[in-house]
Amino acid sequence: MFGIGERRQRAKDALNQLRDVLRLAMGAAAAASRAAQVRKDQLEFEQSVMRLGLAKARLDPAIAEARTRPELAVTWQKILAERDEIYRGWDPGRLHRLVDKAAPGPAGQPWETWLGGIGRHSGWIAPPMWRIGTAVVAQAPDTQEFPVAIPLLDRAHLRINTVPDSRSVVDSLVETLLLRLLSTFTPGLVRVHLWDIGHLTGSLPNLQPLTAAGLLTVHDPTRLDDLLAELAGHIRRVHARAMREGETSLRSVCVAKGERIEPWRVVVLFGNTERLADEQHRELQRVARTGLDAGVHLIAVDMPVSANSPQETITFTDAEHATTSMTGPGVTFRADPAPDAATAREAAAKIAKDLVDRRGKPRTFADLLPEQLGQLTSQEELRAPVGFADGVPVEVVLGDATPHALIAGPSGSGKTNFLYAMLGGLAARYSPDELELYLLDFKEGVSFAGLAPGRKDPSWLPQARLVGVNVNTDREFGLALLRFLTQELARRAEAAKRQEVTKLAELREAEPEGHWPRIVAVIDEFQALFSGRDRITQQATVLLEDVARRGRSQGIHLVLASQDIAGIEAFWGKPAVFEQCTLRIAMPKAKRVLAETNNAAFSLPRWHAVINHDSGVAHGNQVAHIPDASAKGTFDKLQSRLWAHGDSLPPRLFDGAHQPLLAGSADFAKPTGPLLGQVIDVSGRAATIPLDPVPGRNLAVIGTATEDALSIMESSALTLARLHPPGSCDFSLWCPVPALAPRVSRLAAALGEHSVDLRLDESIAELTPSTAERPRFVFFFAVDAAHQWLETKEPPLMRAKLEDLRALLKNGPAHHVHIFGWWRGTGRLKDTLGFSGTDDIGAWVALDVQGAELNTLAAGQVIDWSPRPRRAIFFDKSTHSAPDVLIPFDTQDLT
C-alpha cells in the first residue's frame, strides 16, 4: 500500500505526464487535421498520424492514473475521436493487386491488398510513406500495435543495423520493401542496385528475375569503388540537368514538367560492420549527402552512413525485434512477414515481364528522334540522345562544359554507327540555322559520302556544309579545315569584342540578326592528319590546339574519332588537346580514351558504348545501347525528311578518290584566269594565276606524269578560251613529241572559234614573236624534247635558238604573250632558263618532283613535298607565301 503522500506524488506526476503527452497529441492531431484538409504535404499528414498513434499508446497508463480528472478524459476522448477520423483516411496498404493468389500478409491482410498491381502509379511524385512493419508498445496496460511506415523516395535513406542472427529477417524486410516500390510504379521508374560484400552473385535471390529487364543490377562485391563512382557521376549529371531547368532537385524538375524524367534509383548495400577504406567512406557520405536531390536512395545494411542527410534507422536487438527512429525508445518494431519465395519470385517475374511487354521491340534509331524536327535552339549547347540505358535515353552534350568529344574504338567496334546516331540526333533537333556540320573521314573511308548528293540519292543532310571522304593521304585537306575553323574563330571573336561579350550565347543575344550557328567538325581517323614528321603535322598541331582551346566560348566543337590515340607522336607531352575533350566515347575494347583506371570499355558487348562527360573518369560512365543508325531506312530516311522540308544549299563534297571535272567546277562557269586544278581546301576553289602584262607571268609544269601534265595544260587553255571572246586572243600550240600529237590536236579543236597556231614537229626555227597586239597564249608541250633535237644541231644554231626561247620567256609577258610550258624535269627547265632565267617563270606546278629539287624556284623557301599520284604542288611567286596542293582536273568531257 502506498502512503497518502506517495499516492499524491504519483498522481501529480501522472497528471504532469498526461499534460505533456496531451500537448504532444493535440499538436500531432492539429497537424494531421491541417494536412488532411489541404493535402499539400502527404508526408506531414502520415507522419503526424503515426506519431499520434504512438502518443496514444504512451498516454494510456497516464489516463488510468488520472481517471479522477474527468475533464481531462473528455478532452482526450475528443482528441481520440479526431485522431480516429483522420486515421481512417490513411490506408497504409493502398497499393493494388499484383499476384492472383492471396497469401497471408501483415496485420492479417492478404498480400494483394498491399503488394500492388503493376504500374498503377505512373506519376512523378512518390507516396511519402512506405510500410515496413508493426510497432508494439509494451508498457501499455493492453499491448498495442500499429503500422510503421518510413519516408524513402525523394525523402530519406534507410539504415539498418543488424545482430548476428537477424540477417534472414533483414533480407525479408528489404525484399518486401523493394517489391512494394517496384510494384507501385510503372516498371522502369524504379531501378535497384545491389551490392553485397558477402555474396558474389548478390543476395535477395527471389528478385533475380528483375535483372533480365534491367530493373536490378548486381554489382561485384570487390568493386564498391566503381559503384560509388557510377552513383557520383549520375548525381552530377542529374544536378546539372536540374540547374539547367532552373530547379534545385530532380523532384522539383519532375513537378515542373509534369512527368518523371529520370527513374528513382534505390541502392541496397549489404556490409559487414567492417570499416571502409577512407576514400570509400568519404565517397559513400557524398552519395548519401547529395543523392536524395538526384533521386538516389540508400538502403544501407551494416554500412557507416553518417552524412548529414535525412535518414531513418532500424536497429535490431535480436533475431526478430528492433527499434526504429520513427517510433523512438520504448517501442519494439517487428518487420512485416515476407511473402513466400514462390510468391516473391512470381511477383518479380511479372514486374520484369510487364516492363519487357511495355518496351515492345528493342529501341531503334527512330526512338532517338523527336516528334517535331528542328525545334531546339543551340544558343546554350547542343544536346541529343545517342542510345539507351535500360530503355532510358542517354544523351551527348556539346557546350561550354563539354566542348569537344574524343571517340575511340577498334575497327568493327561500331564507331561509324555511333557517329551516325549522334549526327542524326543532332540534325533532327537543330535546323541549319542552329547547327553546321563539317565532316571528314581519313584513310580509305566513305562513311559520310551519303550525306552529300550522289547519283543514286540526290538528297543531302541540310546541316552539312562540308563532306570529305577518301581523304587518305590528302592531309592538306584536314589542315585546310583547321585553318577554316581558326578563321571562323577569329571572325566570331571579333564580333564578340565588338559587342563586348565573351560567349556565343551572349553574342547571339547581342547580335540576333547575325548568323551564329554552332559548328561541329567531325574528323574520323584523325590520327592520320598527324602521321608524318613534317610541316603539315606541325601546323595542324598548333591549329588543333588553338581550336580546342578557344572553340569552347565561340561555339565551335571538335569530334575526333580514332582507333587508338596513343600513337600520335605530335601530342606526346602536349595533353592540352585531349584535356579539352571532356566528352569521351569508348566503343567495345577501346583503349586509352577513358581514364587509366577506367576499364569499362573492356567488357562492353557489341552495339554498346561508354558515354562519359567527365574526361573519362569512372564516375562519369554511362553505358548505352546504340541502335543501328546506318542501315537502310534509318539515317537515310531522316535525311530525306530533312532535305524535303529544307532549302539549304548542298554541302561541298571532297572525294579524294576521284578527279574533279573541269566542267563541274564553279570557277569554270565564270573564270578569272587559267584554271590549273582544284586546290585541296575547304572552299574547293580552282588554282589560277593572274596574267598581267608584267615580266614573269609564265607558267612551268614540271614532271614526268604525262596524264596530269596534259590535264593542267588542257584546263589552262580551255578556261582561257572560255574567258576571252572569239577573236580577242590567239593560241599557239607546239608539241615536238609525236605520241602526244593526237591529244594536242583534240585540244586545238576544242578551242573552237579562237585563232590557233598548231605545230606538231620538233623544229623551233620559227618561234612565236615576243610581241602581240592582243593576248597570245603559247603552250609548249614537252619543251625538253626540243633540247634533244637542238643537241643534234651545230652549237651556234643551238645557242641561237635557246636564246630566242629565253627572250620569249623574258619579254613576252610584258607584251601580252604568256608561255605555258611543260618540262619533264627540273634539270631541263634550268637548262632552258639559263643561269639567271628563273625569274622568268613566275609560277610553276610540280608533279612527281621531290620538294628539294624545287627550292631554287620558290623564292628561297624550303618546299616540303613528297609526290603522290594525281596530285601536284602549285606556287606563284606573286601571290603565295606557301605552295598549294592541287588535283588536276579531268578534261576528257571537254576535249
Side-chain angles (χ1 to χ4, degrees), residues 764-767 790 796-805:
I764 56 173
E766 298 180 3
L767 288 173
L790 287 173
L797 177 62
M798 180 179 69
R799 286 194 296 271
K801 295 304 180 184
L802 278 178
E803 289 302 324
D804 290 344
L805 180 56

Side-chain angles (χ1 to χ4, degrees), residues 327-338:
T327 56
V331 178
T332 301
F333 167 76
R334 183 178 67 243
D336 281 336

Side-chain angles (χ1 to χ4, degrees), residues 265-306:
R265 281 169 169 76
V266 180
V267 184
V268 182
L269 305 172
F270 284 96
N272 57 6
T273 70
E274 292 184 6
R275 178 178 175 82
L276 297 176
D278 290 343
E279 183 56 34
Q280 290 179 335
H281 184 269
R282 284 192 294 269
E283 194 65 19
L284 178 61
Q285 307 316 309
R286 281 193 287 265
V287 170
R289 185 168 56 253
T290 59
L292 293 178
D293 284 340
V296 175
H297 315 83
L298 302 178
I299 298 179
V301 181
D302 292 332
M303 293 288 288
V305 178
S306 57

Side-chain angles (χ1 to χ4, degrees), residues 105-359:
Q109 298 176 357
W111 280 106
E112 66 261 24
T113 64
W114 66 270
L115 188 55
I118 299 175
R120 294 294 184 88
H121 197 309
S122 59
W124 52 93
I125 302 301
M129 301 291 286
W130 300 89
R131 177 172 173 160
I132 56 173
T134 303
V136 180
V137 184
Q139 68 259 41
D142 298 322
T143 299
Q144 298 191 34
E145 300 181 356
F146 57 90
V148 175
I150 61 168
L152 192 61
L153 300 186
D154 293 329
R155 310 284 185 174
H157 305 296
L158 175 60
R159 181 179 177 182
I160 303 175
N161 302 316
T162 70
V163 294
D165 297 331
S166 63
R167 178 58 189 267
S168 61
V169 176
V170 171
D171 284 359
S172 297
L173 186 155
V174 174
E175 181 181 283
T176 303
L177 178 57
L178 292 177
L179 282 175
R180 288 184 189 272
L181 298 172
L182 290 161
S183 63
T184 298
F185 299 96
T186 301
L189 289 184
V190 177
R191 300 186 183 276
V192 180
H193 295 261
L194 177 59
W195 178 85
D196 190 338
I197 195 172
H199 291 75
L200 285 173
T201 58
S203 51
L204 311 182
N206 295 331
L207 301 185
Q208 293 305 309
L210 299 170
T211 59
L215 295 174
L216 172 65
T217 303
V218 180
H219 294 267
D220 189 329
T222 65
R223 307 300 292 269
L224 178 60
D225 292 334
D226 292 347
L227 172 58
L228 294 175
E230 178 183 338
L231 295 174
H234 174 75
I235 291 169
R236 289 185 180 93
R237 289 190 294 272
V238 172
H239 276 305
R241 181 170 185 179
M243 292 179 64
R244 288 194 303 270
E245 299 288 346
E247 303 291 344
T248 59
S249 68
L250 176 59
R251 182 178 187 271
S252 60
V253 174
C254 295
V255 171
K257 287 184 171 291
E259 62 177 340
R260 190 73 197 176
I261 63 171
E262 185 75 32
W264 287 283
R265 281 169 169 76
V266 180
V267 184
V268 182
L269 305 172
F270 284 96
N272 57 6
T273 70
E274 292 184 6
R275 178 178 175 82
L276 297 176
D278 290 343
E279 183 56 34
Q280 290 179 335
H281 184 269
R282 284 192 294 269
E283 194 65 19
L284 178 61
Q285 307 316 309
R286 281 193 287 265
V287 170
R289 185 168 56 253
T290 59
L292 293 178
D293 284 340
V296 175
H297 315 83
L298 302 178
I299 298 179
V301 181
D302 292 332
M303 293 288 288
V305 178
S306 57
N308 183 20
S309 60
Q311 65 175 328
E312 301 297 339
T313 304
I314 301 174
T315 301
F316 277 82
T317 56
D318 58 36
E320 296 184 356
H321 300 92
T323 60
T324 75
S325 58
M326 290 296 295
T327 56
V331 178
T332 301
F333 167 76
R334 183 178 67 243
D336 281 336
D340 61 82
T343 301
R345 283 195 297 271
E346 183 180 356
K350 285 193 173 184
I351 294 171
K353 182 179 183 300
D354 188 80
L355 178 59
V356 173
D357 292 343
R358 288 173 185 270
R359 287 178 179 168

Side-chain angles (χ1 to χ4, degrees), residues 89 837 873:
I873 186 171

Side-chain angles (χ1 to χ4, degrees), residues 515-537:
H515 181 62
W516 309 113
R518 287 191 180 266
I519 291 175
V520 176
V522 181
I523 308 178
D524 195 8
E525 303 298 346
F526 79 100
Q527 78 282 352
L529 180 56
F530 307 94
S531 59
R533 298 181 179 180
D534 53 14
R535 175 187 57 85
I536 294 178
T537 293

